[in-house]
Amino acid sequence: MSEGDGAAVIANGDDAPRPLRIVGSAIADRVYTWVLTAFALCIPALLLLLVIALGLAGWPAFRRFGFAFLTSSTWNPVAGIYGAAPAIYGTVVTSIIALIVATPLGVGVALFLSDLAPRRVRQPVAFLVDLLAAIPSVVYGLWGIFVLLPFLRETLMPFLRDTLGLGGTVFFSGPAYGPSMLAAGLILAVMVLPYISAISREVLLAVPRSQREAALALGATRWEMIRGAVIPYAKSGIIGGIILGLGRALGETMAVTMLIGNRHEISASLLAPGYTMASLIANEFAEASSDLHLSALMAVGLTLFVITMIVNGIARWLVWQVGRTGSGRP
Amino acid sequence: MSAASAGPQRSQVLATPKAAVGQTHPGTITADDFSFWYGKVQALHKVSLLIPPRSVTALVGPSGCGKSTFLRSINRLNDVIPGVRTDGLLLLDNTDIYASRVDVVALRQRVGMVFQRWNPFPKSIYDNVAYGPRINGTRDGATLDEIVEQSLRRAALWDEAKDRLRASALTLSGGQQQRLCIARALANNPEVLLLDEPASALDPIATQRVEELLYELKAELTIVIVTHNLQQAARVSNHAAFFYLGHLVEAGITEQLFTSPREQRTEAYLTGRFG
């Protein structure tokens, strides 16, 4: 009733009805949509172009060596024989080491900061951990060469090999030079730590207070609350953080190149030097004299790209799966 | 399972001398000049109140008047907030809840709690109910099965849930989830059940079911309910306490408090003049 009256008053007050400017605003709207759509399409297009460029450039190497390019461990520019297996192997192994070391540390730091640390400590510690991500890769490499490698050579490696008696296993056999897959893996662990911990912290803080209170009110200790109520709720996000760290570890170049020893060889021993795809490209692109050499490096680049894509795809799928069904599993 | 059957076990967890438990039905809560501070802000001023067992006591009053603070003091859930401080006595069966020797974890197993917003864990219905017994060390499958069934029956959810115990708790409706939270609290076999506006986010039918449930449960438990809904307080409670600005203004039998309040402020609130 009163609404109708109000409308009547407004209509009366406006003697000349104003024309609606449909045309102008509609055009602006459409241009706006087009421009934004174009921006949005740019990114997949860029990705596609990158794949095409890598594929075209790497094609000669793939055609020449076929599947053996991925499985052969001979990389001999002089003889013109290229096999990327050691680099692929080194990439995977160093990344796995990095995750094994960084996951418990990163998630642990995140739990400490979200649930255990005194309030005054939280911000400063979180800031310091985040700061790890801001250190340039080459600085990590430099620190690795002058601090980590001597420590590994003189302390950690002999300790692992002799004191713990792990030298008998294939993973820790052989001489301890210093530059090794272990060294690269450890430096990668430090580098991915801030990613894992920052994302884990975010998702842990996002766990509703009601979940924590539900557990506490049932007589859970703090640890039982974390294990039974907080972590399950945050699980998918934590996995996402770990996979993001993995993606970073796979592609990290500079620090790894400085510490891994750069040798084309597949060795089960983590104390032995190795190679990664990224460090291979970084080391050799400037010296690639023949077309085939360049093509082989491009092919390595494409392989790295595809592996990273697959890892990220799996990660997305995992997170999606956990988010979808994780809540329903007993 | 009667409330008395688990008596000895309970007195042990709170380290109460058994002889001190005078009541046949444990679960009496006594506040004596109980004050509570959040940092420098005093939320409760010398509250003295006796909450008898085997009945429903409603805490009413306007928002921010200390009802929830008082409720959450009974299971010391306020402890997680930094800077809280108490003074005076708050007793459960003659044991000082805030005594330093009290094991908070054991206390919370004796004093169950249900929240305003239902908060089941993102796990199966079964695992939600079994959570409390499991962290208390019950591992045996058959025992857990029995506890889960009994708790769900007590929360009037068994018939709806028995065929989908392994399904996610989040697939239940809001009202069912709230009853699941009640079942989860009952699985610890507590002697006190605290409810913080348990029905304020539920539709009328789900609310009615929760209220009926409280009516049945009060035969075995001390029930303390915070509610903004005065009709609800009138319907479900035997005793009522009116809080205002951190003070306990008046407490008594619900009917008397609602029909002939002694204090002017109580009457003003009940008749809708403020709050």
Side-chain angles (χ1 to χ4, degrees):
Chain A
M1 194 65 200
S2 63
E3 270 177 28
D5 291 342
V9 168
I10 289 169
N12 289 342
D14 233 354
D15 290 332
R18 284 181 299 175
L20 294 170
R21 291 183 303 164
I22 295 171
V23 180
S25 60
I27 288 175
D29 224 25
R30 222 171 288 168
V31 169
Y32 189 65
T33 310
W34 285 338
V35 169
L36 286 191
T37 309
F39 284 166
L41 286 178
C42 271
I43 291 162
L46 211 60
L47 199 72
L48 204 65
L49 279 175
L50 197 71
V51 174
I52 290 170
L54 281 174
L56 284 178
W59 180 244
F62 278 128
R63 198 180 46 190
R64 174 77 173 273
F65 302 107
F67 198 64
F69 182 77
L70 301 177
T71 56
S72 152
S73 51
T74 308
W75 183 279
N76 188 340
V78 180
I81 300 170
Y82 300 98
I88 296 170
Y89 172 79
T91 303
V92 172
V93 170
T94 50
S95 298
I96 289 173
I97 297 173
L99 286 195
I100 288 174
V101 176
T103 299
L105 263 177
V107 177
V109 166
L111 274 172
F112 174 73
L113 292 176
S114 70
D115 281 282
L116 300 173
R119 241 149 252 264
R120 269 174 302 143
V121 178
R122 292 181 187 186
Q123 269 325 102
V125 175
F127 176 72
L128 287 176
V129 175
D130 290 348
L131 213 58
L132 284 178
I135 300 175
S137 176
V138 67
V139 176
Y140 273 112
L142 205 62
W143 177 81
I145 286 174
F146 290 105
V147 180
L148 184 63
L149 290 190
F151 170 74
L152 284 181
R153 190 166 52 231
E154 281 143 35
T155 312
L156 187 64
M157 284 177 172
F159 174 77
L160 287 171
R161 201 181 47 184
D162 307 325
T163 316
L164 289 184
L166 294 173
T169 67
V170 286
F171 299 115
F172 295 96
S173 58
Y177 300 121
S180 56
M181 289 193 287
L182 182 64
L186 289 180
I187 207 79
L188 281 178
V190 181
M191 297 177 79
V192 302
L193 183 67
Y195 294 89
I196 295 178
S197 98
I199 291 183
S200 301
R201 187 165 52 93
E202 292 291 318
V203 295
L204 288 171
L205 288 175
V207 174
R209 206 176 73 161
S210 67
Q211 290 284 317
R212 291 184 162 87
E213 288 188 337
L216 288 178
L218 289 166
T221 60
R222 196 134 64 158
W223 165 240
E224 284 164 345
M225 171 195 84
I226 288 171
R227 208 185 47 181
V230 177
I231 291 182
Y233 200 94
K235 192 166 59 181
S236 58
I238 293 175
I239 292 176
I242 293 169
I243 299 287
L244 192 78
L246 176 59
R248 173 134 173 90
L250 288 171
E252 176 47 47
T253 310
M254 198 61 218
V256 171
T257 310
M258 293 165 83
L259 296 178
I260 199 166
N262 300 327
R263 202 167 67 175
H264 287 290
E265 200 179 284
I266 294 180
S267 168
S269 174
L270 303 181
L271 308 188
Y275 230 142
T276 68
M277 289 184 269
S279 55
L280 172 61
I281 296 169
N283 266 335
E284 297 198 357
F285 79 96
E287 304 148 13
S289 43
S290 72
D291 288 345
L292 188 61
H293 193 177
L294 203 61
S295 170
L297 291 177
M298 285 293 197
V300 171
L302 184 64
T303 311
L304 179 57
F305 180 86
V306 169
I307 289 177
T308 318
M309 278 304 193
I310 290 172
V311 165
N312 277 295
I314 292 173
R316 292 281 159 128
W317 183 77
L318 260 179
V319 171
W320 179 73
Q321 278 286 312
V322 172
R324 200 175 54 113
T325 62
S327 51
R329 272 201 310 258
Chain B
M1 191 169 292
S2 84
S5 70
Q9 178 204 339
R10 284 178 189 138
S11 53
Q12 185 195 345
V13 279
L14 252 187
T16 317
K18 225 180 131 188
V21 186
Q23 296 83 6
T24 329
H25 309 295
T28 307
I29 299 158
T30 319
D32 188 14
D33 278 350
F34 183 71
S35 300
F36 191 97
W37 288 264
Y38 293 107
K40 289 191 177 116
V41 182
Q42 187 166 7
L44 291 174
H45 300 262
K46 290 186 178 276
V47 171
S48 293
L49 176 66
L50 188 132
I51 297 175
R54 290 197 156 198
S55 64
V56 177
T57 303
L59 309 180
V60 299
S63 297
C65 64
K67 311 181 299 281
S68 288
T69 300
F70 183 74
L71 192 77
R72 295 160 66 96
S73 298
I74 300 173
N75 68 347
R76 286 182 62 170
L77 203 58
N78 284 326
D79 282 16
V80 293
I81 302 164
V84 297
R85 192 162 61 84
T86 67
D87 191 38
L89 278 179
L90 188 59
L91 306 175
L92 172 59
D93 294 341
N94 302 335
T95 305
D96 183 1
I97 289 172
Y98 279 88
S100 55
R101 70 198 164 94
V102 166
D103 178 357
V104 178
V105 166
L107 169 74
R108 290 180 186 148
Q109 285 159 11
R110 285 179 65 184
V111 182
M113 183 156 183
V114 174
F115 297 83
Q116 174 176 13
R117 182 73 204 185
W118 47 89
N119 53 359
F121 301 123
K123 305 176 183 207
S124 70
I125 294 170
Y126 185 98
D127 286 338
N128 263 282
V129 182
Y131 183 87
R134 275 189 179 137
I135 58 174
N136 287 332
T138 307
R139 291 269 171 264
D140 178 52
T143 314
L144 280 176
D145 288 350
E146 199 184 312
I147 293 174
V148 168
E149 177 175 346
Q150 208 153 48
S151 306
L152 286 171
R153 279 190 193 283
R154 286 174 80 189
L157 192 60
W158 175 251
D159 290 333
E160 294 149 80
K162 64 183 173 194
D163 298 323
R164 48 198 284 209
L165 291 175
R166 298 286 163 190
S168 167
L170 306 179
T171 60
L172 297 170
S173 72
Q176 288 172 328
Q177 290 192 30
Q178 189 61 300
R179 275 180 283 142
L180 177 67
C181 291
I182 295 175
R184 184 174 65 180
L186 293 175
N188 273 342
N189 200 16
E191 59 216 69
V192 178
L193 186 62
L194 311 174
L195 301 110
D196 194 352
E197 299 187 46
S200 66
L202 294 178
D203 64 65
I205 294 184
T207 301
Q208 193 191 345
R209 299 207 62 169
V210 169
E211 288 178 5
E212 285 166 2
L213 189 56
L214 296 184
Y215 193 80
E216 283 163 28
L217 288 173
K218 75 175 175 187
E220 312 159 24
L221 291 161
T222 310
I223 295 176
V224 189
I225 178 170
V226 164
T227 179
H228 274 118
N229 182 337
L230 292 173
Q231 281 76 36
Q232 182 175 60
R235 280 195 302 268
V236 302
S237 68
N238 309 96
H239 305 87
F242 172 59
F243 282 76
Y244 185 59
L245 299 176
H247 294 270
L248 174 66
V249 175
E250 187 173 349
I253 307 232
T254 303
E255 223 176 271
Q256 287 175 6
L257 188 92
F258 275 66
T259 52
S260 50
R262 289 188 305 272
E263 295 277 334
Q264 206 194 331
R265 281 174 297 176
T266 315
E267 191 188 347
Y269 179 69
L270 293 176
T271 53
R273 261 184 276 158
F274 70 89

